[in-house]
Amino acid sequence: MSGRTPEGDALTALVLPAFALNGEFLAAAAMITAPHELTPAQWQVLGAVLDGPLPVSEIARRIGLTRQSVQRVANDVAGRGWAEWSDNPRHRRAKLLVPTERGREAIGAIVVEQQEWADAVGARFTAEDLRALTELAGRVVAASRAYRNATRTGPPSGPGADPGPAAARSGA
Amino acid sequence: MSGRTPEGDALTALVLPAFALNGEFLAAAAMITAPHELTPAQWQVLGAVLDGPLPVSEIARRIGLTRQSVQRVANDVAGRGWAEWSDNPRHRRAKLLVPTERGREAIGAIVVEQQEWADAVGARFTAEDLRALTELAGRVVAASRAYRNATRTGPPSGPGADPGPAAARSGA
DNA sequence: GTCATTTTGACAGCATGCTGACATAATGAC
DNA sequence: GTCATTATGTCAGCATGCTGTCAAAATGAC
């Protein structure tokens, strides 16, 4: 972790901001959802079906998680009365997750509070600041991804069917 | 998630970059540590004792995790031969974690590769870019933390002894 | 020296995310 | 209609992080 590059300590400059941001946002999400007895993960899954019932695999696709992960949360959410499973007329297996009225209300309140958070934080920055943050982060991600692609040893990952959300979340 | 603030969609501008950065960095860490048969968490714990043996609670303090989390990883690392427990002359209970030669070599290689990653990515940015990223992220964290402090309902969290690394990681 | 407090290690359990496997339903080629 | 492929749901297990709880060791007040 010693600063020995011409650019200064690139490692620190890159990693610490990302971790700090992520940790703070997770904490904010937990603060907002906790009073409604929902976890951030449950909120995300429930929020995905606000605009209409969806099967587990479609929810997973939309929020960028695996079917298996979403399935567990969805079952939990349904078990606690925030949503229900309804039959799918087109597919015998793919039951649809649909929020109950209670779930709909909770999500609505959370969405409002979360927007308040975003507005309050965002108000402290100029549009240019926010744009710069997005642009910089995007470039960093692209640069790291390019490095990973150039460095990887194995074959270039054949066209598997399932492995959608994989590499980006392998660590923690 | 609709853009209705004067600053544009603050929610998207704040959250997406943070998640993207975090996910990419975790993936990079996993890519670097995996060939050495270490996980990012093991690397972090082992790296903490490179400069000298430390007890679990001190490692936890340094890397910002709980004693319990570090303890599990440390036991795992020791069980796999990357480190050993040595008696602490000053404290009968607090055994010291000390890397084996094998562990020291693995960590050394990982540190080098990780610096290569940081240099490669950092080289694509000006010093001003990196400075701006750090500064912006720091301001965002400060702003969100201020919002949380102003919004929290319960009492201002009395001076508990243990609860060090808590809120910042409650979500995931 | 004794006793309350703090520190530390440890065990148990929860929350999330992942991957690996399987079985079954849906689809499409033939 | 049959059969290989794809999509899905589901079970099992791993990796990390957290909190809760205890017991023992270390410390400090007296």
Side-chain angles (χ1 to χ4, degrees):
Chain A
M1 304 257 178
S2 53
R4 21 182 272 265
T5 73
E7 308 84 25
D9 191 342
L11 192 54
T12 300
L14 292 168
V15 174
L16 291 191
F19 277 36
L21 268 184
N22 203 253
E24 174 57 32
F25 287 178
L26 291 175
M31 183 194 78
I32 291 173
T33 57
H36 300 280
E37 294 185 300
L38 281 170
T39 65
Q42 293 169 343
W43 157 41
Q44 202 174 17
V45 167
L46 207 45
V49 291
L50 254 197
D51 295 332
L54 293 174
V56 164
S57 52
E58 178 57 27
I59 298 172
R61 220 172 282 122
R62 297 197 183 190
I63 66 181
L65 297 179
T66 61
R67 300 191 319 274
Q68 295 92 322
S69 297
V70 170
Q71 185 190 35
R72 195 192 305 167
V73 177
N75 279 332
D76 194 45
V77 156
R80 289 165 186 263
W82 301 107
E84 297 170 328
W85 293 110
S86 73
D87 287 336
N88 187 336
R90 291 176 39 80
H91 298 265
R92 205 186 315 176
R93 301 191 69 199
K95 289 177 298 180
L96 301 172
L97 187 70
V98 46
T100 59
E101 194 49 44
R102 177 170 162 246
R104 202 173 285 278
E105 285 168 9
I107 289 295
I110 289 174
V111 166
V112 168
E113 289 163 32
Q114 172 232 37
Q115 188 64 51
E116 288 171 359
W117 167 83
D119 288 347
V121 175
R124 297 209 192 183
F125 297 84
T126 65
E128 171 55 26
D129 282 339
L130 293 177
R131 194 202 61 73
L133 182 61
T134 299
E135 195 267 340
L136 273 174
R139 279 174 59 207
V140 171
V141 168
S144 175
R145 191 167 294 163
Y147 181 86
R148 285 201 292 132
N149 285 340
T151 308
R152 70 179 161 205
T153 54
S157 76
D162 214 21
R169 294 152 205 282
S170 51
Chain B
M1 305 253 178
S2 54
R4 20 179 274 263
T5 71
E7 311 83 25
D9 190 341
L11 192 55
T12 300
L14 292 169
V15 174
L16 291 191
F19 277 36
L21 267 184
N22 204 254
E24 174 57 33
F25 287 178
L26 290 176
M31 183 193 78
I32 291 173
T33 56
H36 300 281
E37 294 184 302
L38 281 170
T39 65
Q42 293 169 342
W43 158 39
Q44 202 175 16
V45 167
L46 206 45
V49 291
L50 255 196
D51 294 333
L54 293 174
V56 164
S57 54
E58 178 57 26
I59 297 173
R61 218 173 284 121
R62 297 197 183 190
I63 66 181
L65 298 178
T66 60
R67 300 192 319 274
Q68 295 91 325
S69 297
V70 169
Q71 184 190 36
R72 194 192 307 168
V73 177
N75 278 333
D76 194 44
V77 156
R80 290 166 186 263
W82 301 106
E84 296 171 327
W85 292 110
S86 73
D87 287 337
N88 187 337
R90 291 176 39 80
H91 299 267
R92 203 186 317 174
R93 301 192 70 201
K95 289 176 299 179
L96 302 172
L97 186 69
V98 46
T100 58
E101 193 50 44
R102 176 172 163 243
R104 200 172 284 277
E105 285 168 9
I107 289 296
I110 288 174
V111 165
V112 168
E113 289 164 31
Q114 172 232 37
Q115 188 64 50
E116 287 171 359
W117 167 82
D119 288 347
V121 175
R124 297 209 191 184
F125 297 84
T126 65
E128 172 54 27
D129 282 338
L130 293 178
R131 193 201 61 74
L133 182 61
T134 299
E135 194 268 341
L136 273 174
R139 279 174 58 206
V140 170
V141 168
S144 174
R145 192 168 293 163
Y147 181 86
R148 286 201 290 133
N149 286 340
T151 307
R152 70 178 162 204
T153 54
S157 77
D162 213 22
R169 294 154 206 279
S170 51

